[in-house]
Amino acid sequence: MSDRVEDFINSNAGKKILGALGISTPTELSRDSASANYFSGSLLLGASENAQLTSSIEAVLGQSNGNIVSAPAELLNTPKSDSDVLGDARYDALVFDGSGFKDATELVQAYRFFNGAIRKLNRNGRVVILGRPHRQTDSAEAAASQRALEGLSRSLGKEVGGKGATAQLITVEQGAEANLSSALRFVLSPRSAFVSGQVIRVENAKATADSNWEKPLENKVALVTGASRGIGQAIAETLARQGATVLGIDVPPMEAELNSVMAAINGKALVADITAADAPAKISETLKEMGGVDLVVHNAGVTRDKTIANMNEQWWQMTLDINLAAAQRINRALLETGALNDGGSIVGVSSMNGIGGQRGQTNYAASKAGVIGYVDTMSQDPALKAKGITVNAVAPGFIETAMTAAIPFFTRMVGRRLNSLSQGGQPVDVAETIAFFGYPESRGVNGNIVRVCGQNWLGA
Ligand code: NAD
């Protein structure tokens, strides 16, 4: 019954009825179809006065197959007139360097750029604003102007989401210009199809030349827990497609599924419960035999939902142990045994519900918020930084998996539409974001929590 209702909703008649009720129907997102380059459309590039990042942006864009057009001075510097400066031009991406803003009144240049250009953005387009972290500016006024870019980009995400387009802000620390490439390439590419309204921070790190776009994870070893189905399966498949050798882990009842997923990607299967006392040692040993691990993905997770008054202690403890404590024990073992290679990445899987909270999920939300606190602190550990090891997390929103298929139909139908793109995400969307953290050139992408949620309306 439910599939038939969904089919009706997506039919022309259904769209008309929902449209009359103010509920928009989604634009199909274009995802990566093994493209050889990250961007090949047309792109309009604008910059504020005294912008500091433009030459770094141009260097990255120069490696694309795109047609890069600089915004005419008239668009940015003359008060808005009704004349249409850009004429009939259409763009697949609008990129604006706002790093030069030091005063609130200067922001009008960003207004002029987007006021003139936003209608020219194609379906599945990209809006990218670049700025500086507001805490690292030299005056409170400059901090305000830089932080203003966050509100601007998030609002633009809500305005362009109906056409399947996304908007993000990338902030680049002073001196981290050479680390910009991986974030800019990712947000312009179809690999970020379900990521919108995010702020990606790029910090100072040893810069590495860009890897091959098709196989950025060539010669890398990745660990994926909970790899036999759902998001974990997509992570394993995506990392393997991008060149990694994967060690997949899952519990004994999932052995057959795990073996078949790993066989299909030439990976290695390890049947283990990550909460078992001997699991950290077993995992470290296996990874050392594989030459050490470069990308560690703590994906295994469970929900055990009840309001707190009705929840027994076992459900509380089990959820916290699988979703949070087990990953910490494994990380400790990987670091102590030297199984985690220098230049490696640790990735946690948080959740929108860990940010916004959810009735009946005190245990789950506590564990997923814990992932964020853990990443915040681990990512700033000087010993890890010295080894070029990054620590980040994804926070998925509504992703179409067995976990969300179990949600009652009407709640599910509404839940998947409560975001700027009016649809649920696919497991591959989460996987692509995790892979991006693992690219060799992503060493400056550290301590980030990137929501993969189509700019979900819930949460902070
Ligand atoms: P899923 O239930 O389909 O898959 C989870 C996998 O983890 C399963 O294969 C399971 O057997 C494995 N696992 C559970 N306990 C384990 C243990 N102790 N040891 C080893 N493996 C274990 O779930 P999913 O929807 O694919 O979610 C994957 C991750 O993404 C989870 O951490 C989940 O909390 C998170 N997440 C999912 C969504 C969503 O919309 N589906 C949203 C936010 C976050």
Side-chain angles (χ1 to χ4, degrees):
M1 181 305 251
S2 55
D3 285 349
R4 268 188 277 140
V5 178
E6 268 297 328
D7 286 348
F8 171 72
I9 288 169
N10 291 322
S11 71
N12 283 339
K15 282 181 190 171
K16 269 194 193 142
I17 293 170
L18 286 181
L21 294 170
I23 300 171
S24 54
T25 44
T27 297
E28 193 180 335
L29 303 184
S30 112
R31 292 186 165 84
D32 201 354
S33 46
S35 50
N37 194 281
Y38 73 94
F39 182 79
S40 50
S42 65
L43 183 151
L44 184 70
L45 175 62
S48 66
E49 228 164 276
N50 303 317
Q52 301 152 14
L53 296 167
T54 312
S55 59
S56 311
I57 296 168
E58 282 169 345
V60 177
L61 298 180
Q63 304 162 36
S64 77
N65 288 342
N67 172 30
I68 315 299
V69 181
S70 288
E74 195 190 344
L75 179 67
L76 296 156
N77 296 333
T78 48
K80 181 190 178 318
S81 67
D82 287 333
S83 67
D84 186 355
V85 175
L86 298 172
D88 294 335
R90 304 287 307 176
Y91 302 99
D92 300 294
L94 305 174
V95 177
F96 187 81
D97 179 359
S99 59
F101 290 134
K102 288 200 177 313
D103 181 280
T105 56
E106 295 169 1
L107 288 161
V108 71
Q109 288 196 314
Y111 156 78
R112 289 178 191 150
F113 178 80
F114 287 110
N115 173 266
I118 205 80
R119 283 201 189 91
K120 320 282 181 191
L121 184 67
N122 286 331
R123 287 162 85 84
N124 282 301
R126 295 286 184 269
V127 171
V128 186
I129 300 180
L130 294 103
R132 294 294 194 187
H134 74 273
R135 287 186 199 282
Q136 291 175 9
T137 50
D138 51 18
S139 72
E141 287 78 6
S145 310
Q146 290 303 309
R147 183 65 194 232
L149 298 177
E150 196 172 314
L152 171 64
S153 62
R154 290 198 208 272
S155 301
L156 287 171
K158 294 190 176 184
E159 293 189 10
V160 300
K163 46 175 143 182
T166 65
Q168 339 280 347
L169 171 66
I170 301 176
T171 64
V172 183
E173 250 183 30
Q174 292 287 349
E177 291 76 11
N179 299 105
L180 166 65
S181 162
S182 76
L184 185 53
R185 295 205 304 170
F186 175 68
V187 300
L188 284 173
S189 79
R191 291 181 184 169
S192 59
F194 198 62
V195 177
S196 192
Q198 298 306 292
V199 179
I200 299 182
R201 289 180 296 105
V202 177
E203 64 179 36
N204 243 307
K206 194 169 154 235
T208 315
D210 284 346
S211 54
N212 168 305
W213 180 249
E214 285 167 279
K215 294 225 180 288
L217 301 175
E218 189 109 72
N219 301 321
K220 302 286 178 195
V221 172
L223 166 71
V224 182
T225 65
S228 69
R229 68 174 200 191
I231 294 174
Q233 176 179 355
I235 297 168
E237 290 167 353
T238 302
L239 302 184
R241 168 165 51 82
Q242 294 184 12
T245 303
V246 177
L247 174 68
I249 298 185
D250 217 302
V251 288
M254 299 299 287
E255 181 169 5
E257 290 87 342
L258 179 68
N259 284 338
S260 104
V261 171
M262 288 304 128
I265 60 169
N266 285 325
K268 195 173 162 72
L270 177 65
V271 177
D273 181 331
I274 56 165
T275 64
D278 62 349
K282 248 202 232 168
I283 293 168
S284 306
E285 237 166 75
T286 312
L287 287 167
K288 281 190 98 169
E289 283 161 18
M290 294 169 76
V293 64
D294 304 288
L295 175 53
V296 176
V297 187
H298 294 293
N299 163 77
V302 294
T303 50
R304 287 292 179 277
D305 298 355
K306 285 265 184 219
T307 55
I308 197 150
N310 294 321
M311 187 184 300
N312 63 43
E313 187 164 324
Q314 193 217 339
W315 274 22
W316 173 275
Q317 199 63 352
M318 171 187 183
T319 305
L320 269 291
D321 203 24
I322 295 174
N323 294 5
L324 189 56
Q328 296 169 357
R329 290 192 293 268
I330 293 168
N331 287 342
R332 215 172 296 134
L334 294 176
L335 289 165
E336 279 169 12
T337 60
L340 179 57
N341 293 332
D342 288 3
S345 308
I346 296 173
V347 183
V349 176
S350 180
S351 163
M352 274 301 305
N353 291 354
I355 297 172
Q358 187 59 270
R359 185 175 191 278
Q361 289 199 324
T362 49
N363 52 355
Y364 183 77
S367 72
K368 296 298 184 180
V371 170
I372 296 175
Y374 181 75
V375 165
D376 271 352
T377 299
M378 277 283 274
S379 61
Q380 300 311 314
D381 182 332
L384 297 189
K385 280 198 175 192
K387 292 180 176 180
I389 293 171
T390 64
V391 189
N392 296 283
V394 286
F398 190 106
I399 305 296
E400 306 284 357
T401 65
M403 200 184 249
T404 47
I407 298 172
F409 173 67
F410 281 104
T411 316
R412 186 165 84 243
M413 198 183 75
V414 173
R416 65 159 65 96
R417 287 186 170 74
L418 289 183
N419 60 63
S420 297
L421 298 170
S422 304
Q423 58 197 291
Q426 296 297 325
V428 70
D429 298 325
V430 180
E432 290 286 11
T433 307
I434 289 172
F436 150 64
F437 291 141
Y439 300 167
E441 63 271 30
S442 288
R443 293 317 85 198
V445 179
N446 185 33
N448 276 268
I449 312 296
V450 175
R451 284 166 46 168
V452 185
C453 65
Q455 198 175 24
N456 199 296
W457 297 339
L458 307 177

